[in-house]
Amino acid sequence: MKLLHLYHDFMNLYGEYGNMRVLEKHLRDQGMNVTVIHKTVTDTDLDFSDVDLIYIGCGTERSQKAALMHLMPYQEEIKDACRRGVVGLFTGNACDMLGTSITDGNGELHPALGLLPFTTNESADIRYTGDAVTTAEPFGKELVGFVNKCSQNTGIAAPLFTLKMGMGNQKGDPGEGCRVENFFGTHLIGPVLVKNPAMLHAVIRLLMKRENPDASYQAIAYPYEEKAYEVTHRALINRLEETGNRK
């Protein structure tokens, strides 16, 4: 199984490499042979033909544009990988790359990958930060995370999550993130797979089925991961309830 980690060296705010570390660990625990491939802007040989997962983490706005410029020549290869069922995870502002364009805080338009028909507009002087909690769909448990972005996404018809707390794709919209086939985009950071075992296990199942349709997922207890999730979730739900009671 091959996991492609793109721009690991600079799209790595908030410890986003942790998503790949925990994913690799759990896959190996399931008995999978895992190879992690690291590529960045100095590489001119990106190959999406035989990878099982594509991951890009969160970076600064400048880093995001550098990564996007490097990635755009491979636009059709990435679309083809998506159509073939490759799993994709784009966290933080890497999520914005899945749309058709990003307009930065200076008004400059940057063409994006175009896997979904949404646009992104960044603000030069407004940031949206804070904790986030989703409803239980689509991973069976409410997810937790943190949002730190200057962007709003317009035109996402079917968001990945519905938020109970936090900033969604655009102001006043509880929808957050996006999905196309097995490509997931979310602004939740933390890192999101480390904080949320339910999403982590769902991604693992997708990867295992891609490797072997008859693969059987083994339930393995990770008490520290579950406890960390429960403590964070409880604290955020308590805060949400307290805020609601004060209204």
Side-chain angles (χ1 to χ4, degrees), residues 73-86:
Y74 302 94
Q75 181 179 18
E76 293 306 316
E77 288 91 335
I78 294 171
K79 288 181 177 180
D80 179 65
C82 182
R83 287 190 291 266
R84 289 187 285 106
V86 171

Side-chain angles (χ1 to χ4, degrees), residues 92-228:
N93 59 358
C95 173
D96 301 335
M97 297 181 185
L98 297 176
T100 59
S101 67
I102 302 170
T103 301
D104 66 27
N106 296 318
E108 183 178 353
L109 187 142
H110 304 263
L113 296 173
L115 276 81
L116 284 168
F118 71 86
T119 58
T120 298
N121 286 277
E122 296 177 344
S123 171
D125 52 11
I126 298 175
R127 292 202 75 85
Y128 307 95
T129 62
D131 293 305
V133 181
T134 76
T135 60
E137 297 297 330
F139 298 115
K141 281 193 174 183
E142 297 179 353
L143 269 58
V144 298
F146 191 79
V147 174
N148 182 351
K149 65 175 187 173
C150 66
S151 64
Q152 297 196 56
N153 309 112
T154 303
I156 297 179
L160 179 59
F161 302 121
T162 300
L163 295 183
K164 301 171 67 171
M165 171 192 288
M167 172 69 178
N169 289 325
Q170 56 184 327
K171 193 172 182 180
D173 180 4
E176 200 286 319
C178 60
R179 179 177 183 175
V180 52
E181 302 294 344
N182 290 332
F183 274 35
F184 302 94
T186 178
H187 282 92
L188 296 187
I189 54 178
V192 66
L193 295 186
V194 176
K195 281 181 170 287
N196 296 284
M199 184 176 180
L200 170 63
H201 296 158
V203 172
I204 290 169
R205 286 186 175 93
L206 280 175
L207 286 165
M208 290 178 66
K209 288 298 182 182
R210 175 175 170 77
E211 178 83 359
N212 177 7
D214 297 323
S216 177
Y217 178 83
Q218 303 297 317
I220 301 173
Y222 297 90
Y224 291 111
E225 294 177 12
E226 294 291 345
K227 183 66 174 179

Side-chain angles (χ1 to χ4, degrees), residues 32-49:
M32 298 290 105
N33 293 318
V34 181
T35 300
V36 179
I37 304 165
H38 296 92
K39 296 288 185 179
T40 189
V41 292
T42 55
D43 294 300
T44 58
D45 58 343
L46 299 191
D47 182 4
F48 302 94
S49 64

